[in-house]
Amino acid sequence: MTTKLSLAALDAIKARAGVPNYDRHALRAGIVHFGVGNFHRAHQAVYLDDLFNLGRDHDWAIIGAGVLPSDEVMRGKLEAQDFLTTVVEQDNNRTAAHVTGAMIAYLKPGDTPAIVAQLASPFIRIVSLTITEGGYFIDPASGVFNPTHPAIVADAQNPTAPKTVFGLILAGLAARRAKGIPPFTVMSCDNIPGNGEVTHAAVSGLARLSDPAFADWIDANVAFPNGMVDRITPATGPREIGIVASDYGIDDHWPVFCEEFKQWVLEDHFPQGRPALEEVGVQFVPDVAPYEHMKIRILNGGHAAIAYPAALLDIHFVHEAMEEPLIRGFLAKLEHDEIIPVIPPVPNTDLKDYYKLIETRFSNPKIGDTIARLAQDGSNRQPKFILPSTADRLRRGEDVVGLSLVSALWCRYFAGKSDSGKEIAFNDASADRLQAAALAAKDDPMAFLALSDIFGEVAQSDLFRRRFAHALKTLWEKGTRATLQLYLDGKLGD
């Protein structure tokens, strides 16, 4: 028998899972968060729930917001359970569930007046974002804000009726400025190097298209701290919903499963104040960049590296990929030979030890993280997680055999069938043009590298072009297993 998750049911649930020890009705909102997905609910919301459980900072609760159809779906699921979430943390040796209550409301997507009014409230001092790597309107090759994107152009032409997150943020800031209310801090929680700077560029860049003076005011007055976030959080599906019901007796419409490990490193730049997150393990540092480089290149880059060979070998789960010696060996050699050597030093951190931790985390069989999740949205992830390491090595005159193989595996994946002939289901906004280029690249490898908005200057390197072409040819002629073995044996040269 299960208990439907709700505030009224917490007393019944607490015998089977942890529940908030604070009065949810006494919380007051201090944060509006755009992009209430699984990662946010397993990360920022958990840190705040931990803080509230210490009896601290109950005026920093979260109000959710969003602009996508998926946001409305999530809102409906959470509203039906009083905005509570069951978080199941799974380590190799333990599993535990607890209900979090840091979110107290969720604004209806599309209700622009209500969202702007909430953003204009003096009680809101932080606006946070998890809108994915592809949500910032960045040109993939240059890493620069793209003011010509149709959604951005539309918001610039209609600033009082915005459709994007950044248009809504601008409308909220404009309302605050008009009322003499200090601006909120804008805090990105996405996996992007310099995510605060990227967010600043998007907000200010959009403002500059219609009101340069407002953009100048934003540049002078609004804080955009950089941050590094980390917690492996797979997608939710029937499996996860079923486990929460059978193991914990909780009927949760959309629980979150995640690993036990979590990390958050932030610049301490919050002019209107912030919750005391250092009390629950958040690291506040003067410069986040070294931590970002480490995490994005080693962890996210590692995920991007193993996704495509695993998919081509019909492997479903990430831990199963790590049980395949060829993939585990490929990742280790790639990281140690090509990725880690171009990462700047990180305070009090041994990068080889950090990789060992990543290897252990990827191998966790309880998480149920899927190769399909890692393989999605490569058109945004490859330029952020893989190609920067490639570019760094090329600038230093160093070889890129392994990194070129990663790009070739991505190309081979987009040809549409695994080595066994199984159809591959893509999840990428650029899937059609990627597949067209990948199919053309079977005869002309440069057809894939001609995606200049993705490969940028890397594609101009003769060394990279040779390495990529040879790796792709080998994949087509010998298959994924034989190609990985050649790489491990040091025989994948051209």
Side-chain angles (χ1 to χ4, degrees):
M1 181 176 176
T2 60
T3 301
K4 184 180 182 301
L5 182 59
S6 67
L7 286 171
L10 290 180
D11 279 345
I13 290 171
K14 68 182 180 182
R16 292 162 275 170
V19 300
N21 66 16
Y22 50 87
D23 179 0
R24 245 285 297 272
H25 297 291
L27 296 183
R28 190 177 72 191
I31 300 170
V32 169
H33 182 82
F34 285 95
V36 182
N38 277 17
F39 181 77
H40 164 72
R41 294 185 299 140
H43 193 264
Q44 181 183 345
V46 168
Y47 277 105
L48 286 166
D49 184 73
D50 288 346
L51 187 62
F52 298 163
N53 277 323
L54 294 179
R56 296 291 306 272
D57 294 348
H58 288 180
D59 58 341
W60 284 103
I62 300 165
I63 292 181
V67 298
L68 301 174
S70 58
D71 294 320
E72 178 56 40
V73 172
M74 181 66 79
R75 177 182 178 274
K77 292 180 183 297
L78 294 178
E79 185 178 39
Q81 55 197 45
D82 297 326
F83 307 105
L84 300 170
T85 291
T86 307
V87 178
V88 181
E89 297 179 348
Q90 297 186 305
D91 197 13
N92 286 317
N93 300 312
R94 65 179 291 274
T95 298
H98 65 283
V99 174
T100 63
M103 178 178 289
I104 60 173
Y106 197 143
L107 301 167
K108 186 173 180 60
D111 190 348
T112 298
I115 295 173
V116 173
Q118 190 65 67
L119 292 173
S121 166
F123 296 111
I124 299 301
R125 289 148 288 165
I126 294 175
V127 172
S128 54
L129 312 169
T130 47
I131 54 175
T132 77
E133 298 84 8
Y136 288 80
F137 303 100
I138 303 168
D139 176 74
S142 67
V144 175
F145 172 68
N146 177 14
T148 66
H149 191 284
I152 292 297
V153 172
D155 269 11
Q157 293 172 344
N158 300 280
T160 60
K163 302 295 185 184
T164 70
V165 169
F166 302 111
L168 289 166
I169 288 174
L170 283 179
L173 287 170
R176 295 173 81 99
R177 185 174 64 156
K179 295 177 181 179
I181 300 170
F184 45 67
T185 296
V186 184
M187 179 179 70
S188 171
C189 299
D190 279 302
N191 284 313
I192 301 174
N195 57 9
E197 295 156 18
V198 168
T199 308
H200 184 176
V203 173
S204 179
L206 175 56
R208 200 164 295 283
L209 294 175
S210 59
D211 189 345
F214 186 28
D216 290 341
W217 180 85
I218 290 168
D219 292 344
N221 293 281
V222 182
F224 297 85
N226 290 309
M228 182 271 266
V229 296
D230 190 6
R231 188 170 222 184
I232 295 174
T233 309
T236 297
R239 170 184 176 269
E240 288 73 25
I241 294 170
I243 290 173
V244 169
S246 62
D247 291 6
Y248 302 101
I250 302 172
D251 179 10
D252 187 324
H253 291 295
W254 213 246
V256 173
F257 279 55
C258 55
E259 62 178 335
E260 187 174 35
F261 176 91
K262 65 182 186 295
Q263 187 176 20
W264 194 0
V265 184
L266 267 174
E267 290 176 351
D268 200 353
H269 186 32
F270 294 83
Q272 303 310 314
R274 61 168 177 79
L277 292 166
E278 67 273 16
E279 297 291 332
V280 288
V282 177
Q283 298 169 259
F284 286 94
V285 299
D287 183 11
V288 174
Y291 300 90
E292 287 177 334
H293 274 93
M294 174 182 71
K295 190 260 178 174
I296 288 173
R297 302 283 186 96
I298 297 177
L299 185 144
N300 297 109
H303 269 160
I306 67 173
Y308 304 107
L312 290 169
L313 296 177
D314 300 322
I315 295 173
H316 183 72
F317 287 112
V318 176
H319 71 271
E320 292 173 336
M322 295 301 288
E323 291 168 359
E324 165 54 62
L326 287 172
I327 292 178
R328 191 182 189 99
F330 165 58
L331 178 62
K333 181 175 174 60
L334 176 73
E335 295 272 17
H336 289 301
D337 290 1
E338 298 189 22
I339 294 177
I340 290 174
V342 294
I343 296 175
V346 181
N348 304 311
T349 303
D350 183 302
L351 294 179
K352 292 181 179 178
D353 287 344
Y354 180 77
Y355 172 71
K356 290 178 184 176
L357 172 64
I358 297 304
E359 197 173 48
T360 300
R361 292 168 63 193
F362 285 8
S363 303
N364 184 347
K366 290 187 177 181
I367 291 294
D369 201 7
T370 64
I371 293 300
R373 185 186 77 85
L374 304 194
Q376 71 184 15
D377 203 25
S379 59
N380 279 299
R381 295 180 176 186
Q382 290 281 319
K384 296 177 179 68
F385 303 158
I386 292 295
L387 294 174
S389 294
T390 310
D392 283 351
R393 291 189 66 82
L394 292 171
R395 278 191 287 268
R396 290 163 53 156
E398 296 173 343
D399 213 339
V400 288
V401 176
L403 288 163
S404 299
L405 176 55
V406 174
S407 295
L409 285 160
W410 183 40
C411 177
R412 169 64 187 85
Y413 166 90
F414 260 100
K417 292 184 179 180
S418 69
D419 282 14
S420 71
K422 181 180 177 182
E423 292 284 343
I424 293 173
F426 303 128
N427 186 351
D428 194 301
S430 297
D432 290 344
R433 70 187 184 106
L434 285 168
Q435 184 167 26
L439 290 170
K442 186 173 182 180
D443 296 320
D444 175 16
M446 296 308 106
F448 200 70
L449 301 189
L451 298 168
S452 58
D453 61 315
I454 293 174
F455 286 98
E457 66 177 28
V458 167
Q460 305 308 311
S461 163
D462 289 339
L463 176 60
F464 176 73
R465 290 160 73 94
R466 291 201 319 272
R467 294 293 190 223
F468 172 85
H470 181 71
L472 184 61
K473 182 174 184 287
T474 307
L475 284 166
W476 277 115
E477 292 181 351
K478 299 181 181 297
T480 302
R481 287 186 179 279
T483 303
L484 292 177
Q485 190 63 61
L486 286 169
Y487 172 67
L488 291 176
D489 294 340
K491 297 177 180 178
L492 193 62
D494 55 358

